[in-house]
Amino acid sequence: MIIRLANVKQVLSIVVAVTVFNTTIGFLNGLGIVMTLIGGACYSYVDLREKNQRMRPMTPAMPLPSPPGTGTASEKEELLNVRIV
């Protein structure tokens, strides 16, 4: 799994702020920090997935028909043996 720099920066800024300002983290502060980190991770995941989809070449959902005259002999025989009802 790829660790995004933004997520590392978030964690580092929280750790530095708690250390520098000597902040005690209570239940609600901890819950807010966890929610922020989870939201950042979810955003990074979606962003990375969308970038990968844009980079992937698009393939058609259905195979394209081959040009006339390029089919195999059995395919040509099947076309000739079509019954008209």
Side-chain angles (χ1 to χ4, degrees), residues 69-81:
T70 59
T72 62
S74 61
E75 288 175 346
K76 291 177 184 176
E77 289 173 4
E78 285 181 27
L79 289 175
L80 293 175
N81 291 331

Side-chain angles (χ1 to χ4, degrees), residues 21-81:
F21 298 115
N22 197 18
T23 307
T24 56
I25 298 176
F27 176 72
L28 286 178
N29 287 348
L31 184 63
I33 290 170
V34 168
M35 288 175 61
T36 300
L37 294 176
I38 289 173
C42 289
Y43 176 80
S44 294
Y45 172 75
V46 170
D47 188 43
L48 183 65
R49 194 172 71 180
E50 287 178 356
K51 285 182 182 178
N52 285 340
Q53 285 178 351
R54 277 186 255 138
M55 298 300 289
R56 190 178 318 155
M58 297 195 55
T59 57
M62 301 269 307
L64 298 174
S66 54
T70 59
T72 62
S74 61
E75 288 175 346
K76 291 177 184 176
E77 289 173 4
E78 285 181 27
L79 289 175
L80 293 175
N81 291 331

